Amino acid sequence: MTPTAVANPNRAALSLRLSRLAALTDDDRRKLAAAERDQFRVPARRELVGEDNEYWDRRALLSGWACEQRILRNGQRQILNFVLPGDVIGPGGHRARLATTTILAITDLTMCSVPDGEGSVGLVDGYARGMALKEHHLQAQITRIGRMNAYERLADWLLETSDRLALVGLANGDQFAFPITQEMLADALGLTSVHVNRTLKALHRDGLVIVSGKKASLPDRERLAMLVDYRPAGANVTC
Amino acid sequence: MTPTAVANPNRAALSLRLSRLAALTDDDRRKLAAAERDQFRVPARRELVGEDNEYWDRRALLSGWACEQRILRNGQRQILNFVLPGDVIGPGGHRARLATTTILAITDLTMCSVPDGEGSVGLVDGYARGMALKEHHLQAQITRIGRMNAYERLADWLLETSDRLALVGLANGDQFAFPITQEMLADALGLTSVHVNRTLKALHRDGLVIVSGKKASLPDRERLAMLVDYRPAGANVTC
DNA sequence: CGGGACTTTGATATTTCTCAAACAATGTGG
DNA sequence: CCACATTGTTTGAGAAATATCAAAGTCCCG
């Protein structure tokens, strides 16, 4: 184990995620590895896709967190979804572009471009499952905001997020990185940062969630999942 | 104008919508017309796609309204989006299926299957724009529920819906069919039917919305749109 | 005409927001 | 390495939006 490998444990998030979503050949893996080798960085707080900007090719996030958001006229923000390592962003099959949406780097990011799927059943299948997962997450987001209370929204979102991170090997047992502020969480879950704070404290009091510094952990996933009737998407997707 | 043509003014919703989303050749139109000729019906209240059901090919809705929904353990329902004439349902490019979601016929429906896009730039482009629009509507739905109050949610949703109907020629001036109950609206907008009722009354009092029987109209779209900073998706999409 | 499904209304409860301030952590320039 | 500025968290008190419960009214279908 070389030092650099230890320092960058997840620079293969794209290939790791795809290999868990579809059956890849050695050739697929080679293509992905090549793409991952050609990385570029984006500093925190930079916007990746501005409204009405030209849209670029598909890119994958290798490390860091980003989010897709929309700003309302009155300055309010709605975070539509978080972009986590292994996720692909860019036109999803369709070239049509009408985003009134922006992608914002929450932390410093490492990214790479995504190899074309042409001629590879595995890659095409993996991309397709990735898109299906993304749609699933959008639907879950609607359900959370539409029909759950603050306590349930937090619980459900934490479970989903930890599952997504686990899929790319970024969850250590029940613990995972948590680089977002309570205000971002509020903007994602349709709440106020004050209320997020109080609700997180309630979850902590109930022994379900521990957030400290830039880490979170879910000591009792079982009970948490029961509480909000959480159904992991993974079962239907991973292969 | 034959009597049947008058009685069924919108049995060409698919080709109409696609021709507004992309440039179609005569050949494309022929294919679509052929598909539309081979219709089938679905009675109101029937489920089209059950959870974990086998997924079928892509189908288009030619007349009637349906909705995609999810039922929570406690019996609550979240309507994720409404399916309107001209909309395509089924696996969107990706074959992966993980829907924990159901499509429900709200009214009696007329449907047809969707011709393969193979070899047609126009059709492929049209389907792609349709998918992009759908994603846009999901994002709009999140923004509505997450960051708007009841009054704004209703207003925004009514504007979007009337635009979607207008795209397939189903809006008469500012008036359009409105076959859904206030409870469905509540389940879509993350509200209570009681509150939807009161809010609709407020919109009516303000001269912005008239709902009566199974029709709705928006007498002052201008003011309504201003009020909620509504941005039609159409501008970026229709060609 | 009767009955079920929708709508409307009222009174009250609950959740969440708003405002304001104190506190803690984090980073930055000197 | 300190002092300060900035950003994020925590707390309290009161206000506003929305939910809940219950009942009456209305409409439409058969």
Side-chain angles (χ1 to χ4, degrees), chain B residues 81-147:
Chain B
N81 69 304
F82 289 94
V83 184
L84 304 182
D87 286 352
V88 172
I89 57 184
H94 49 80
R95 284 239 142 249
R97 165 90 175 120
L98 40 104
T100 44
T101 240
T102 263
I103 294 186
L104 177 72
I106 294 174
T107 66
D108 291 341
L109 309 179
T110 320
M111 306 188 69
C112 69
S113 57
V114 177
D116 197 335
E118 292 289 319
S120 161
V121 177
L123 290 182
V124 167
D125 195 37
Y127 298 151
R129 284 174 188 252
M131 285 171 53
L133 257 187
K134 182 182 176 183
E135 183 172 350
H136 177 84
H137 292 141
L138 280 185
Q139 293 177 338
Q141 171 77 341
I142 291 174
T143 308
R144 254 193 301 272
I145 307 185
R147 279 289 174 251

Side-chain angles (χ1 to χ4, degrees), chain B residues 45 180-183 194 197-198 201:
Chain B
R45 287 156 185 274
I180 65 176
T181 67
Q182 295 181 0
E183 187 168 13
V194 170
N197 183 275
R198 293 185 165 126
K201 207 171 44 170

Side-chain angles (χ1 to χ4, degrees), chain B residues 10 13 17 61-65 83-87 164-165 168 170:
Chain B
N10 56 308
R17 184 163 187 264
L61 184 55
L62 294 177
S63 73
W65 284 38
V83 184
L84 304 182
D87 286 352
R164 289 178 64 188
L165 290 170
V168 285
L170 290 175

Side-chain angles (χ1 to χ4, degrees), chain B:
Chain B
M1 225 189 275
T2 70
T4 57
V6 172
N8 297 320
N10 56 308
R11 285 303 164 69
L14 176 62
S15 51
L16 179 50
R17 184 163 187 264
L18 282 175
S19 70
R20 294 202 172 161
L21 292 182
L24 301 184
T25 65
D26 286 345
D27 195 49
D28 294 336
R29 287 174 212 283
R30 255 191 304 278
K31 275 194 217 163
L32 291 171
E36 285 168 334
R37 219 166 288 124
D38 189 15
Q39 311 178 348
F40 60 94
R41 291 161 179 284
V42 177
R45 287 156 185 274
R46 173 165 302 173
E47 276 189 4
L48 299 194
V49 183
E51 305 209 4
D52 295 328
N53 273 7
E54 206 106 331
Y55 218 171
W56 21 265
D57 283 343
R58 285 149 100 193
R59 301 282 161 84
L61 184 55
L62 294 177
S63 73
W65 284 38
C67 67
E68 191 168 3
Q69 63 179 21
R70 174 174 298 168
I71 306 291
L72 306 194
R73 183 184 42 175
N74 56 13
Q76 284 186 104
R77 164 170 78 166
Q78 176 65 49
I79 291 178
L80 302 160
N81 69 304
F82 289 94
V83 184
L84 304 182
D87 286 352
V88 172
I89 57 184
H94 49 80
R95 284 239 142 249
R97 165 90 175 120
L98 40 104
T100 44
T101 240
T102 263
I103 294 186
L104 177 72
I106 294 174
T107 66
D108 291 341
L109 309 179
T110 320
M111 306 188 69
C112 69
S113 57
V114 177
D116 197 335
E118 292 289 319
S120 161
V121 177
L123 290 182
V124 167
D125 195 37
Y127 298 151
R129 284 174 188 252
M131 285 171 53
L133 257 187
K134 182 182 176 183
E135 183 172 350
H136 177 84
H137 292 141
L138 280 185
Q139 293 177 338
Q141 171 77 341
I142 291 174
T143 308
R144 254 193 301 272
I145 307 185
R147 279 289 174 251
M148 296 185 182
N149 62 28
Y151 195 93
E152 295 165 329
R153 285 182 213 180
L154 259 316
D156 188 73
W157 182 87
L158 284 162
L159 286 165
E160 178 184 292
T161 302
S162 93
D163 276 351
R164 289 178 64 188
L165 290 170
L167 186 62
V168 285
L170 290 175
N172 259 345
D174 55 9
Q175 186 178 241
F176 51 93
F178 197 75
I180 65 176
T181 67
Q182 295 181 0
E183 187 168 13
M184 287 181 200
L185 214 35
D187 286 341
L189 299 179
L191 297 169
T192 287
S193 65
V194 170
H195 200 60
V196 165
N197 183 275
R198 293 185 165 126
T199 309
L200 274 179
K201 207 171 44 170
L203 281 159
H204 184 259
R205 194 173 43 239
D206 297 345
L208 293 168
V209 175
I210 302 169
V211 176
S212 78
K214 297 203 174 315
K215 296 230 174 287
S217 80
L218 310 178
D220 193 348
R221 287 185 65 94
E222 199 81 356
R223 193 152 57 92
L224 196 56
M226 189 73 74
L227 217 97
V228 296
D229 190 30
Y230 175 73
R231 298 174 217 170
N236 303 307
V237 160
T238 53
C239 69

Side-chain angles (χ1 to χ4, degrees), chain A residues 16 20 84 160-173 176 221:
Chain A
L16 180 50
R20 294 199 172 163
L84 305 183
E160 179 184 292
T161 302
S162 93
D163 276 351
R164 289 178 66 187
L165 290 170
L167 185 63
V168 286
L170 290 175
N172 258 343
F176 51 93
R221 288 184 66 93

